[in-house]
Every structure is written in C-alpha cells, then in structure tokens.
Amino acid sequence: MNGFRITLLVLLCLAVTLMFYAVMVVVPSWQNQYGEYQASQKLAEYQRNNDFHRLRMEQFAPEAESPEVAQARAAAEESARKGEQALTEAEESSVIAAAKRKEEATLAKQAEVEANAPKPLGLVAAFDQEWNILMIKPVSDVPLHPGYVVAVRRDGRIVCEAVIDVLDSESGQYSATLKVADLGKVISNVSSEASLQPAVGDEIIESPFPSSAELRGNTVAPASVLPDLPADNGAVNDGGLPVIDASLTPVP
C-alpha cells in the first residue's frame, strides 16, 4: 500500500468519524437546545397571558372581589399552573430522551468493539508451570499449525503468548509452549506473577503482536543506509537484510 492510498484511507476514516460525531453528538445537542427554546417561549407566553389577565382584573375589579372575578382569577391561575406543569414535563421528556440516546450510542459503540474483537480460537484446558506448557481446547474450525503464535486473553487483556507445538489426536487438544515475555505486565501494569500465567478457561486468540517477519518486512534498505560490509559478510537473506557474522551479548 503506497502513501497515496494510505492518505485516502486516513481521509476517509476522518470523514466517517466527523459524520458519526455530527450524527451522535452535534444533532442531538441542537435538538435539545431547540426543545429548550420552544419550552422557554411557551413559558414566556403563558406568563404574558397571565400578567395581562391579572392587569385587566385589577383595572375593572371593584374593591370587593365578586364571585365571578374570583372564579376568573382562579381559572387564570389554574391555567398558569398547567402551563408550568406542561413545561416541566417537556423538560423532563427532553432529558430522558437525551439520556436514552446517549445510552443507545454507548451500547452501539460497545457492540461494535465486541464485534471487532478477535474471536477465540480455543480455551486453555491445562497449564504446567514446571514445563511451561499449556493444553488448548479448540472452539473454532480454524486449524492451529505447529509454530503458530497465539495469545492468551483474560478479561479483555493479553496475558501472554504461546507457540503451538502439536495436536494430540487422542484428546483433540493442542499443546503449546509459553513464550517468556512480560506482555501482561506491560499492558495491564500488574505486578503479580500469577496474573501473567495462563489459567484454565482463558481464551486463545491470534496474537495481535507483529512477529519478527512482519517487523522485518521484505523491503530492501537503500544503499545509502547500508553499512560497508566485508566481502565474506555481504550476503543478503531472503528478507533483503545483510547477514552479519557477529556474537550477541545478552542484556541482563
């Protein structure tokens, strides 16, 4: 994939993200603001009508309020009370609708995340800490070939990685060797060694971490960045990288 396609893909993702943000956040916000504006206009109209009616009653009312005037005033107050109650109910409905839309958006996002999550290939059936070997019970039709790198997932986080060894024809389970790496500690920032080891019931998924072949790639480095090698070390492997004969010193 060249740079132009990557740029188009990034722009497309940004456009989709902006559209999703506009539909899920901006439009509901506008709707809430418009609903509050309409409710405030209704309240102001009820208040103006009530004030106008009260002024009319005060202008034409005698010193002693007649039963008719008292009844009209009570009717106006009841109308104002009903208007305030309707406004309160409208505001409550608007708040409930906004909370419902937010909950639906959260559930939709959670469902999308779960749908995009890697499907389990198997479950941990047993783990031998002494020999660093675990048995995997397959739960899908995807075959696990020897040398295939899988990851152990627990509660949505990666605990460790393992390499498939062989299929046990009698039990139908795969044996795998645990890779020594602090992946779980790096991701979850935990210090317990037990939380970095497989446990019965943990999910087995395809390892999301790139292998050395994926990191190395098949591209040949430009000649300007390749070091000057002696004649006997100028061989290049299949991945396009020079083969250098040197001893490696382990880092403690």
Side-chain angles (χ1 to χ4, degrees):
M1 182 178 293
N2 55 26
F4 178 71
R5 293 182 178 177
I6 293 176
T7 303
L8 288 180
L9 183 58
V10 170
L11 293 177
L12 180 60
C13 293
L14 289 176
V16 172
T17 303
L18 290 176
M19 291 177 62
F20 180 81
Y21 178 80
V23 172
M24 301 304 298
V25 178
V26 177
V27 174
S29 176
W30 288 350
Q31 292 177 347
N32 292 338
Q33 293 178 2
Y34 183 70
E36 293 176 358
Y37 171 76
Q38 287 184 327
S40 63
Q41 292 296 320
K42 290 183 179 179
L43 180 60
E45 183 179 357
Y46 285 132
Q47 189 65 33
R48 287 195 299 269
N49 293 337
N50 189 24
D51 294 342
F52 178 75
H53 182 75
R54 185 179 291 108
L55 290 175
R56 293 289 299 272
M57 291 294 101
E58 291 176 356
Q59 290 177 359
F60 298 101
E63 295 182 359
E65 189 176 51
S66 64
E68 293 79 5
V69 173
Q71 184 178 2
R73 181 175 57 80
E77 292 177 353
E78 180 67 16
S79 176
R81 186 188 65 80
K82 290 182 178 179
E84 293 179 357
Q85 182 178 0
L87 177 60
T88 302
E89 292 177 354
E91 292 178 350
E92 291 178 353
S93 300
S94 177
V95 172
I96 293 174
K100 185 177 181 181
R101 286 194 297 269
K102 184 177 180 180
E103 182 180 1
E104 291 176 353
T106 302
L107 293 177
K109 185 176 181 181
Q110 182 178 1
E112 182 180 0
V113 172
E114 293 178 354
N116 294 331
K119 303 300 180 183
L121 304 176
L123 300 175
V124 176
F127 173 61
D128 191 329
Q129 184 176 0
E130 180 179 359
W131 293 95
N132 220 29
I133 294 177
L134 64 151
M135 299 300 296
I136 300 174
K137 178 183 178 182
V139 295
S140 69
D141 297 333
V142 179
L144 303 179
H145 302 289
Y148 189 72
V149 180
V150 295
V152 180
R153 182 175 64 184
R154 183 189 307 153
D155 298 332
R157 66 177 180 86
I158 303 299
V159 177
C160 59
E161 284 185 309
V163 180
I164 300 298
D165 293 330
V166 68
L167 172 64
D168 186 3
S169 58
E170 295 183 0
S171 62
Q173 298 179 355
Y174 293 91
S175 64
T177 302
L178 193 66
K179 293 180 65 176
V180 180
D182 291 337
L183 295 177
K185 184 178 295 184
V186 173
I187 295 175
S188 58
N189 195 20
V190 295
S191 58
S192 175
E193 293 297 334
S195 62
L196 303 180
Q197 296 177 354
V200 177
D202 288 348
E203 296 178 342
I204 299 297
I205 62 173
E206 181 182 358
S207 178
F209 301 103
S211 64
S212 59
E214 292 173 333
L215 290 174
R216 185 183 299 273
N218 294 323
T219 58
V220 180
S224 59
V225 300
L226 290 178
D228 295 334
L229 300 175
D232 55 350
N233 286 339
V236 179
N237 60 10
D238 295 336
L241 297 177
V243 177
I244 301 176
D245 185 12
S247 60
L248 299 179
T249 302
V251 179

